[in-house]
Amino acid sequence: MPTPLPDPAIEADRPAAAHPDVVTRLRSAWAQTQPQLDTAPLEVLGRITRIGMQATQAVERVLEPSGVTRSEFDVLCALARADRPLRASEVTAQTMLSGAATTKLTTRLEAAGLIERRGHERDGRVVLLALTDSGSGLVEEQMPRCLAQDAELLAGLDDDDRATLARLLAVISANADALA
């Protein structure tokens, strides 16, 4: 049974954040053209997708003055969190980037002087990636700004709301991992 769409008369009395968003409008359009479709999953997954895109764009705007992209910043953060230099494959695993993307990004970050490549002390075939002082400084400067941007997106949610949302999203994430 499809999840019912919001009643516009009731929605008009709710705060602005509860007014029909793009997902509600999409569901309404589908209900008009193909009422047999159960578009209820869009209530959650459509919003997750949209919020993900909006959050990425917001972080890109925050990072723009630093000259790095969000993906490049992800690489820098993976190296900043590590207690040692990492292999490119380890960076790839921590960032959810492809191996090819990691290679491209690390080449650019090295040229910008934000990371350096080092040989492995026991195996000359292995190349390790490490932050330079400039790379470390960039992460230390930008990470608080990115977290502040994220906090703005969560405005209006108290600690319990955030914990509940995080728990529920973890279930969806595990389901997505199982389907991958």
Side-chain angles (χ1 to χ4, degrees):
M1 179 79 149
T3 303
L5 293 172
D7 180 340
I10 294 171
E11 291 298 310
D13 294 333
R14 294 192 181 173
H19 283 286
D21 63 356
V22 67
V23 172
T24 302
R25 290 190 302 272
L26 289 172
R27 286 193 70 215
S28 181
W30 279 116
Q32 295 289 324
T33 60
Q34 296 194 28
Q36 77 283 4
L37 290 178
D38 180 5
T39 60
L42 292 176
E43 286 287 333
V44 174
L45 298 176
R47 286 188 178 94
I48 289 171
T49 300
R50 182 159 167 76
I51 292 165
M53 290 186 303
Q54 291 170 316
T56 297
Q57 291 169 352
V59 169
E60 290 279 358
R61 285 190 302 273
V62 167
L63 292 172
E64 189 173 9
S66 74
V68 298
T69 65
R70 184 204 46 83
S71 295
E72 291 166 341
F73 190 66
D74 287 348
V75 170
L76 295 173
C77 287
L79 295 170
R81 289 188 304 267
D83 59 352
R84 60 180 173 74
L86 300 176
R87 295 177 182 188
S89 61
E90 293 173 303
V91 172
T92 297
Q94 289 188 29
T95 59
M96 298 180 288
L97 296 166
S98 69
T102 300
T103 299
K104 179 181 174 183
L105 295 169
T106 56
T107 298
R108 173 157 157 25
L109 292 168
E110 182 181 31
L114 300 172
I115 67 168
E116 62 184 9
R117 296 175 195 270
R118 299 179 184 168
H120 191 278
E121 59 191 39
R122 289 178 287 193
D123 186 346
R125 299 169 294 172
V126 175
V127 174
L128 300 173
L129 304 171
L131 285 178
T132 62
D133 289 342
S134 294
S136 182
L138 189 142
V139 171
E140 288 176 19
E141 177 185 319
Q142 297 301 323
M143 190 61 184
R145 295 179 71 225
C146 291
L147 290 172
Q149 177 66 47
D150 290 349
E152 282 187 48
L153 289 174
L154 298 174
L157 299 177
D158 63 26
D159 290 344
D160 289 340
D161 291 337
R162 289 180 188 196
T164 299
L165 183 57
R167 181 181 54 77
L168 295 172
L169 290 171
V171 171
I172 296 170
S173 181
N175 290 346
D177 288 343
L179 292 174

